[in-house]
Amino acid sequence: MDVFNLISRAQGSYVRSIDDGPIEDWAEHFTDDAFYKVTTADNHRRGLPAGVIWANNKAMLKDRVSALKEANIYEPHSYRHLLGQPAILEESDGGATSETSFLVIRVTGNGPTDVFASGRYLDEYVVEDGQALIKKRIVVCDSSRIDTLLVLPL
Amino acid sequence: MSEYNPVVTAISPDTVSERRWPKSLTEVPYWVFQDEDVYKAEQERIFHGPMWNYLCLEAELAAPGDFCATFIGEQPVLVTRDHDGQIYAFENRCAHRGSLIAMENYGHAKDFTCVYHAWTYNLQGDLTGVAFEDGINGKGGMSPDFCKAAHSPRRLRLANVHGLIFGSLNNDVPEIEEYLGQEILDRIERVLGGRKPVVLGRFTQNLPNNWKLYMENVKDSYHASILHLFFTTFGLNKLNQKGGIIVSENGGHHVSWSAINREAEAKAAGHYKDQKIRSESDYQLEDPSLVDSFSEVGDDITLQILSVSPGFVLQQIQNSIAVRQVLPTGVESTNLNWTYLGFEDDTEEQQLVRMKQSNLVGPAGYVSMEDGAIGGFVQRGIAGASGEFATVQMGGDQAVSSESRVTEASIRGFWKVYREAMGFDIEESK
């Protein structure tokens, strides 16, 4: 399977784990040494390093999931991710870099369907055993604003 | 430069002054979070009143020409550094027809030109140019007696406290040292004194609630271990921490702090040999390095939350340093602006610790995300209850410092300053 299809498969599975669960599967889309950050276009453009979520290994991503399941308190809500087609920017034997746009709809409690976030994934994928895994994902949100709180990952 | 003169507005502030407020500091009427006339009066009496409002960091205006477009309450203001090295601030509103002078949040400029009719301002906010001032071919143009100097945007009073830039639109506001008091000044100095902050990131959180509900939350040391269960769930609570609450003399500002209690830890070590963490919890972090910290300024204090009325917070949570600016955008909406900080002399290791600990705070923060939602829960909970009161009796009825953090003293202090500035009619308790 070519890298476009591998990445598309991985991303389809990725958003399903967040939107429909089980959320524990989310971290399994990353390599053990993966880097994951959620930031804004403004921070990204200015080269500011911090993230609203910042992780430099898979264990930290698993901790995100345990925290949101066991520790943090929030109103129940769900996401629906809509992804564009991945743009493959660079390709090598072992992987690829790609960019994919996203739109995330959030429904909180009995509330309406709200547009929660739009942006792009700046990704580095590695292909291992016929599967694309995220080695690096920078989630760049278009807006600098986050409504209320960010619990589930993007 | 025109000076600020308090203006009698058309919003009939008298209806606000006639509102009655309980004499006891333990009762807070819910209408204060709900009513449009109160919100409008706050813009005048609090944000344009005798208060100091946080604007930005001096570090964000490093070079001449750097500017920051921010707000005092709802009002847009522009903060700049001119070529004389000084910082200036003025209303971000063209003197001509009211358009924004600058739109970018942070930027660099030689001068500012309003896009509407190209009226131009220098970095100090003086009106220096009016397009077609003399008309064209002797026709049109401004009247010869038009004086540019009389039409500059209003300039703000400014104060620089260890690199924090505060501004005021009011001429009667006391000097910042008097406004804050020595204890608050000392605690700002503790974190920022003599250090050069570096901005690591900026995030805005939209809160679905009145701005004062967020300030109450910041000043509420009672809720911390109850609402925020991250440390408890993962067994990361340090034993026998010591700490306390400082409430400034006027009540408006506060510090909540805790520190490692080395004596108690040494004793406990006998009981829990070699166990850094005493975990009675079923859950553990897969990567506990998240909470590996270094002494921030060489002392044992691991948490210091400091607030300045009306809407500023300086935070040290372990090695996560941030300032928060609380800006009202409506009766039931607030912008919370987070600026995460490191320092110029941070080592690479220290920078990594700050990055990891940025997960503790902000809109997705393990120990702060709940604060983004709790104000909305209150706002929704009090609907239809404008005649009822919140009760803030924890730790007594005074607004004074305390060794215990199980107190609502600093919330009472916030309301003490607020109700006075708003000019409510204070009534004896029922």
Side-chain angles (χ1 to χ4, degrees):
Chain A
M1 205 183 296
D2 71 16
V3 75
F4 178 86
N5 282 311
L6 287 171
I7 289 176
S8 296
R9 267 183 95 110
Q11 300 199 143
S13 166
Y14 176 101
V15 302
R16 191 162 180 264
S17 69
I18 301 171
D19 297 354
D20 303 299
I23 185 70
E24 286 81 357
D25 288 353
W26 170 65
E28 300 308 321
H29 294 85
F30 294 85
T31 62
D32 288 344
D33 62 348
F35 180 84
Y36 173 83
K37 173 166 95 165
V38 178
T39 186
T40 68
D42 190 65
N43 284 309
H44 187 69
R45 192 169 48 243
R46 294 174 193 274
L48 300 178
V52 281
I53 299 178
W54 191 100
N56 66 353
N57 60 53
K58 186 170 166 179
M60 287 184 80
L61 299 177
K62 289 184 173 175
D63 289 338
R64 267 282 154 190
V65 174
S66 359
L68 75 89
K69 290 197 74 158
E70 310 297 343
N72 288 120
I73 295 169
Y74 50 88
E75 195 166 7
H77 60 276
S78 62
Y79 287 170
R80 186 65 56 204
H81 279 71
L82 302 168
L83 303 194
Q85 300 279 8
I88 310 298
L89 305 181
E90 255 181 53
E91 217 176 315
S92 67
D93 284 348
T97 61
S98 67
E99 213 176 292
T100 307
S101 61
F102 66 82
L103 178 70
V104 176
I105 306 289
R106 183 174 69 179
V107 177
T108 303
N110 297 321
T113 299
D114 291 324
V115 173
F116 177 59
S118 69
R120 56 194 175 130
Y121 296 135
L122 307 183
D123 293 330
E124 280 178 35
Y125 276 96
V126 292
V127 177
E128 283 175 13
D129 304 328
Q131 202 191 351
L133 290 172
I134 301 167
K135 186 171 166 47
K136 183 176 180 186
R137 166 160 285 183
I138 299 177
V139 182
V140 181
C141 297
D142 294 326
S143 171
S144 297
R145 299 182 182 196
I146 291 172
D147 180 65
T148 309
L149 79 180
L150 183 118
V151 183
L152 299 166
L154 292 170
Chain B
M1 192 61 51
S2 51
E3 291 292 324
Y4 174 64
N5 294 307
V7 183
V8 179
T9 62
I11 56 162
S12 182
D14 286 338
T15 62
V16 171
S17 299
E18 282 163 15
R19 283 173 180 268
R20 285 189 279 181
W21 190 279
K23 187 173 184 197
S24 167
L25 289 172
T26 63
E27 285 188 321
V28 181
Y30 288 137
W31 51 254
V32 79
F33 305 114
Q34 297 173 319
D35 291 352
E36 190 71 35
D37 63 334
V38 172
Y39 180 80
K40 284 185 174 163
E42 281 170 356
Q43 296 299 318
E44 181 197 331
R45 299 177 191 188
I46 303 290
F47 297 102
H48 286 205
M51 304 269 177
W52 284 103
N53 296 271
Y54 170 76
L55 300 176
C56 63
L57 296 160
E58 185 183 9
E60 292 174 304
L61 306 170
D66 286 354
F67 70 86
C68 159
T70 184
F71 297 87
I72 286 188
E74 287 186 332
Q75 163 147 9
V77 298
L78 203 45
V79 196
T80 66
R81 190 188 288 273
D82 196 7
H83 295 277
D84 62 359
Q86 299 298 306
I87 292 173
Y88 296 86
F90 47 93
E91 296 173 315
N92 183 7
R93 185 181 69 244
C94 182
H96 178 214
R97 299 260 291 278
S99 170
L100 290 170
I101 296 170
M103 267 172 279
E104 205 186 348
N105 282 356
Y106 295 89
H108 186 84
K110 280 204 318 252
D111 52 25
F112 301 101
T113 302
C114 176
V115 294
Y116 201 170
H117 302 90
W119 285 32
T120 304
Y121 302 87
N122 66 18
L123 291 165
Q124 300 190 13
D126 302 318
L127 176 61
T128 52
V130 169
F132 304 123
E133 185 175 2
D134 302 325
I136 295 173
N137 298 329
K139 290 180 183 155
M142 299 297 271
S143 141
D145 57 8
F146 175 74
C147 172
K148 288 201 281 288
H151 286 267
S152 294
R154 207 163 73 194
R155 209 178 264 180
L156 273 63
R157 280 183 69 185
L158 288 177
N160 185 341
V161 184
H162 301 293
L164 303 171
I165 307 296
F166 289 88
S168 182
L169 285 157
N170 189 290
N171 287 327
D172 299 326
V173 68
E175 294 297 324
I176 193 90
E177 292 77 13
E178 185 191 332
Y179 183 81
L180 295 173
Q182 197 56 48
E183 282 181 303
I184 302 295
L185 281 168
D186 288 348
R187 291 302 182 124
I188 294 175
E189 184 177 18
R190 182 189 154 264
V191 178
L192 298 176
R195 306 175 89 188
K196 289 193 173 152
V198 175
V199 174
L200 301 178
R202 300 186 189 101
F203 302 97
T204 296
Q205 195 173 359
N206 294 140
L207 307 178
N209 53 265
N210 188 275
W211 68 277
K212 301 185 294 298
L213 286 169
Y214 186 76
M215 288 314 291
E216 276 197 321
N217 175 273
V218 162
K219 289 163 182 281
D220 175 3
S221 48
Y222 171 33
H223 84 283
S225 62
I226 303 169
L227 177 64
H228 306 303
L229 293 176
F230 178 76
F231 285 129
T232 313
T233 301
F234 292 102
L236 303 170
N237 283 351
K238 289 262 160 51
L239 287 168
N240 301 309
Q241 285 204 323
K242 54 185 181 181
I245 295 282
I246 300 167
V247 182
S248 69
E249 209 175 307
N250 67 357
H253 326 302
H254 101 293
V255 178
S256 170
W257 64 278
S258 64
I260 301 162
N261 188 338
R262 295 200 179 274
E263 267 175 43
E265 280 208 346
K267 267 188 211 162
H271 298 290
Y272 306 100
K273 264 186 196 138
D274 298 325
Q275 260 186 275
K276 262 192 185 164
I277 292 164
R278 174 190 159 196
S279 181
E280 291 171 346
S281 152
D282 294 339
Y283 304 103
Q284 288 190 350
L285 290 178
E286 291 218 10
D287 185 356
S289 73
L290 180 81
V291 288
D292 288 349
S293 306
F294 56 91
S295 171
E296 182 61 45
V297 294
D299 60 17
D300 286 338
I301 294 176
T302 52
L303 175 126
Q304 177 183 300
I305 307 291
L306 180 152
S307 74
V308 173
S309 278
F312 171 74
V313 182
L314 168 65
Q315 152 222 306
Q316 177 209 348
I317 298 175
Q318 299 192 0
N319 300 116
S320 165
I321 310 294
V323 295
R324 311 179 202 162
Q325 183 191 33
V326 181
L327 293 175
T329 53
V331 174
E332 297 189 2
S333 66
T334 301
N335 278 355
L336 175 60
N337 291 330
W338 296 82
T339 306
Y340 298 0
L341 300 180
F343 295 93
E344 256 183 28
D345 56 2
D346 282 351
T347 63
E348 249 174 66
E349 290 77 18
Q350 288 173 326
Q351 217 177 42
L352 182 63
V353 169
R354 295 202 199 281
M355 286 298 114
K356 287 186 181 183
Q357 293 189 359
S358 67
N359 285 291
L360 295 173
V361 301
Y366 287 136
V367 299
S368 71
M369 68 167 78
E370 288 89 359
D371 297 328
I374 197 71
F377 298 165
V378 176
Q379 196 82 50
R380 280 147 66 187
I382 63 177
S386 60
E388 305 287 327
F389 302 85
T391 182
V392 282
Q393 298 184 51
M394 194 57 67
D397 60 2
Q398 301 297 303
V400 292
S401 300
S402 118
E403 278 177 25
S404 167
R405 283 182 295 153
V406 188
T407 176
E408 290 168 317
S410 47
I411 297 179
R412 290 188 289 273
F414 174 78
W415 292 114
K416 189 177 158 194
V417 166
Y418 175 86
R419 68 184 193 179
E420 197 179 304
M422 289 294 284
F424 295 130
D425 185 12
I426 311 286
E427 66 173 4
E428 290 294 334
S429 296
K430 297 171 283 285

